[in-house]
Amino acid sequence: MTAIALRPPQVVMRLQRLGAAHPTRLSFLRQLIRRAAKERWRVRKERFELDDHGFGRAVYAVETPGRIYSLVAFSTPLDDDKRSDRVIAQAWDTSYVLYDGLPDAAEIARLEENAPLQEAGRFTNRELVLARANKSVRLFEAVAAALAQGRQPVEEQLLGVGYLLRTTAVYGNGKFGIADRDEIASRPELSGSFQAEMLTIWLIRSFTLDLVDHIAHRRNPTGAARLAPDLRRALGVGNATGLGMAPFLVRHPLLTHSWFLARETALARVRAEPHAGEAERKAFSGALADLRQRVARWHSDDIRQSAATRSLADDLDTLAENLDHLLTKPRPWDALYRFAEEQFSLEGQEACVALILEPHGALIDELGETMKADETPGHAIDGSMSCGTLRQAILDCYSWATSIDFAGPAANARFWYVSAEKLEPRLGERFEEDGAELEQPLATARDAINLAAALAQGPASSRVAEFLLRRPEWRHAVRRAQIVASFPYAEIHDNLIAADLRPVDILRAKLAFFGARSFDPRSDRWLRIALFGGEPLIEDVASTAPDGEAA
């Protein structure tokens, strides 16, 4: 079988395409769901101690082959004027800890004092993930009221939003005193990218649904309805994500490369398949029908996203009309991809990538194990490389940037800095705001091109080590240029300080790898999404312990 080349970085890593990314079966939450089902994880509701208004605490325990993990959840009163999606908020409707093991009463009491404080709390290495979430107030109350009256909520309203609670932060990897990544990286069930965070959100989803059922039942103990199973499975957990996450794909080049390389390798493998079997055809048709339903419910007030979603709906209609013909061609999945590439919008093309991968788990799922990278030691600079070799590597890898005039105001309009208040990345306007002297090294294209110019001022035969002895300010750019030369998907192929930069494009790319759907930009700097919507509930995948109750 003749191999098909991977899509090159100059196609894949453009911001407009990144801003059209869709989740795939390699997304991190899908990897977690498959492992839980394969290993028959066991789940039980260990505690559920909530009052008539839904305030109190709950513990959901998950038993994997090697360990038990517990979601410890706290629901507390919150005035409407204090409810905010912003990271600078100080109070939340609910707060959570993913705990390593099963907490006893003393540990729960300790967590109850600290988890609602979030960053201001005190934590130990028994806490693996720290999270908080707010109610989607009008929808949550509408659902609780309907259930309390013995009826189901309005499906169109419910699925148009897609969630009842929306997380405003999910912290892992040692933040605020919780366990460092190194402490769990060797555990099979958590070794993949963001698996502890995905497990936390999966469990929060079940707590959310149980919470609204509980409140409805307490309002009407004899006549309340439970949320229907199909609606429970349709709902996910919302998330509000802003600039704080945007630089992640820039700051973690090795990890970024591993994610995109795995997806592009998967796509190339599937496109090279000579035939489409009956099982694969059926799975593809089912995935297409499901996506068309999702797109019909995908609403956004953002003008650009609204237009893209309409184009996507048209693209999927066209795909459905031509599917039977395309799948009879030689290399049918390649024919399908090329059809999308020629006729569809970027949104449609990337949706087609996700659909093509869906029926081929046996061929591609093992690539999920490659979607990680050890970045803790950093990347050692090769000081023995000649300056001429490095300069040529820069001109090759950043050829797309050589025509950009970084001295011009439009190309140099922004600067990234870290907020002193929350230690979160922010984006400043260079010619309108103070603070450019605090700029973070995220203008990768500008720095690479300027580094090439600096290298040209000396002998091509001199060593990089000698150059850096004279010009140590270029260490960050040298390190990155050498990384990008070896790891081609490590770099976004666009100017990250341009006046027309839309950080939400970067955010969407990362969130699609998590498994997010229903992208709803609220500006060019933050968006809302949903996780696990339409995916199995953890209690549907995991076995229920004989002496316990399904979460």
Side-chain angles (χ1 to χ4, degrees):
M1 182 170 64
T2 305
I4 284 183
L6 275 60
R7 296 191 298 178
Q10 54 265 36
V11 170
V12 173
M13 303 305 293
R14 298 300 305 273
L15 278 174
Q16 280 195 319
R17 189 173 293 273
L18 296 180
H22 284 258
T24 73
R25 65 177 298 119
L26 291 178
S27 295
F28 305 134
L29 67 81
R30 296 285 301 280
Q31 293 185 40
L32 179 69
I33 292 170
R34 286 196 296 273
R35 178 180 286 274
K38 179 181 178 181
E39 296 179 351
R40 298 184 61 80
W41 291 7
R42 296 158 66 86
V43 60
R44 64 180 181 271
K45 196 187 302 179
E46 192 73 17
R47 293 173 181 257
F48 198 78
E49 301 163 350
L50 304 182
D51 66 17
D52 290 350
H53 303 288
F55 303 133
R57 58 194 184 177
V59 177
Y60 291 65
V62 178
E63 184 177 347
T64 74
R67 292 172 181 82
I68 292 177
Y69 301 97
S70 300
L71 179 79
V72 188
F74 301 100
S75 173
T76 52
L78 180 65
D79 293 337
D80 287 344
D81 60 356
K82 294 183 179 179
R83 188 175 290 107
S84 171
D85 284 340
R86 297 191 66 190
V87 72
I88 61 173
Q90 298 295 317
W92 307 270
D93 285 309
T94 58
S95 52
Y96 309 89
V97 164
L98 183 68
Y99 185 83
D100 191 1
L102 189 64
D104 59 19
E107 283 290 82
I108 293 173
R110 175 180 64 83
L111 293 172
E112 193 163 21
E113 290 182 359
N114 288 281
L117 302 178
Q118 294 286 289
E119 295 97 326
R122 295 295 179 265
F123 302 98
T124 74
N125 63 355
R126 297 300 298 271
E127 287 82 70
L128 307 182
V129 176
L130 181 66
R132 72 269 192 127
N134 287 330
K135 296 170 184 172
S136 180
V137 180
R138 284 176 293 180
L139 184 60
F140 190 98
E141 175 54 32
V143 173
L147 295 175
Q149 295 168 14
R151 59 181 176 82
Q152 293 299 312
V154 177
E155 181 174 347
E156 182 179 358
Q157 179 188 19
L158 190 67
L159 301 186
V161 176
Y163 52 82
L164 298 179
L165 259 71
R166 184 170 57 245
T167 61
T168 62
V170 180
Y171 295 123
N173 302 330
K175 281 201 110 175
F176 311 119
I178 64 177
D180 287 334
R181 168 70 180 167
D182 289 347
E183 298 186 41
I184 62 173
S186 62
R187 303 181 185 185
E189 66 275 9
L190 299 182
S191 63
S193 291
F194 294 97
Q195 292 300 277
E197 291 85 349
M198 293 298 102
L199 176 57
T200 303
I201 296 170
W202 203 11
L203 289 164
I204 289 173
R205 179 195 189 196
S206 288
F207 172 73
T208 302
L209 300 172
D210 289 346
L211 176 63
V212 75
D213 276 345
H214 169 85
I215 292 172
H217 175 75
R218 288 297 182 92
R219 291 180 184 179
N220 184 1
T222 59
R226 285 177 58 86
L227 191 62
D230 58 331
L231 296 181
R232 289 175 69 90
R233 294 187 182 93
L235 290 173
V237 176
N239 175 263
T241 299
L243 278 174
M245 188 188 284
F248 184 92
L249 294 183
V250 185
R251 288 179 166 167
H252 298 275
L254 299 181
L255 195 60
T256 298
H257 171 82
S258 73
W259 293 2
F260 283 92
L261 178 64
R263 190 191 67 185
E264 295 307 312
T265 301
L267 177 61
R269 284 185 186 179
V270 174
R271 289 174 61 192
E273 285 289 284
H275 307 291
E278 185 59 32
E280 288 76 20
R281 290 171 180 243
K282 184 177 180 181
F284 185 91
S285 295
L288 175 58
D290 177 68
L291 183 56
R292 293 175 79 184
Q293 283 189 327
R294 290 179 184 271
V295 171
R297 299 194 299 261
W298 183 355
H299 301 295
S300 175
D301 293 332
D302 181 77
I303 295 175
R304 174 174 155 174
Q305 184 57 61
S306 181
T309 305
R310 289 194 299 271
S311 295
L312 174 59
D314 292 342
D315 292 340
L316 296 178
D317 289 344
T318 301
L319 180 59
E321 293 168 3
N322 290 273
L323 183 59
D324 289 342
H325 172 65
L326 290 168
L327 293 184
T328 62
K329 290 179 172 289
R331 282 190 170 177
W333 305 110
D334 182 54
L336 196 156
Y337 173 79
R338 292 183 180 279
F339 178 82
E341 189 177 44
E342 293 170 0
Q343 300 201 30
F344 291 176
S345 63
L346 284 178
E347 190 89 46
Q349 291 174 37
E350 294 307 296
C352 194
V353 169
L355 289 170
I356 288 171
L357 299 185
E358 191 60 35
H360 295 96
L363 184 64
I364 67 172
D365 282 352
E366 51 87 16
L367 289 168
E369 296 298 318
T370 71
M371 297 174 73
K372 48 193 173 184
D374 184 6
E375 296 184 309
T376 51
H379 189 278
I381 291 173
D382 179 6
S384 67
M385 177 182 286
S386 73
C387 291
T389 299
L390 177 59
R391 182 174 183 275
Q392 189 57 52
I394 292 170
L395 296 178
D396 291 342
C397 295
Y398 290 88
S399 59
W400 54 271
T402 55
S403 61
I404 299 174
D405 178 14
F406 287 105
N412 200 30
R414 308 278 186 76
F415 65 94
W416 292 90
Y417 67 98
V418 173
S419 160
E421 181 180 17
K422 278 292 181 177
L423 300 180
E424 293 274 357
R426 293 292 181 264
L427 195 59
E429 300 295 332
R430 190 180 305 276
F431 304 112
E432 300 173 16
E433 301 174 8
D434 295 331
E437 70 278 4
L438 302 174
E439 184 170 10
Q440 294 290 295
L442 298 174
T444 54
R446 180 199 65 191
D447 290 355
I449 297 303
N450 288 344
L451 171 60
L455 290 167
Q457 295 173 6
S461 60
S462 65
R463 302 300 172 188
V464 166
E466 298 168 357
F467 170 78
L468 290 177
L469 281 173
R470 299 191 308 271
R471 305 290 301 276
E473 69 273 18
W474 289 112
R475 287 182 62 85
H476 74 283
V478 169
R479 178 179 288 108
R480 188 168 192 93
Q482 291 184 340
I483 289 173
V484 174
S486 299
F487 302 93
Y489 294 103
E491 189 69 281
I492 295 172
H493 282 221
D494 270 297
N495 180 11
L496 301 182
I497 55 170
D500 59 355
L501 169 71
R502 284 176 52 92
V504 290
D505 291 337
I506 310 174
L507 294 172
R508 177 163 171 177
K510 183 187 177 185
L511 291 166
F513 276 104
F514 284 7
R517 299 182 187 274
S518 304
F519 301 97
D520 181 17
R522 310 301 290 182
S523 77
D524 67 353
R525 301 190 181 200
W526 73 284
L527 77 168
R528 290 176 177 166
I529 52 93
L531 290 162
F532 286 98
E535 303 293 349
L537 298 163
I538 191 168
E539 55 266 36
D540 293 340
V541 170
S543 301
T544 303
D547 58 345
E549 181 184 355

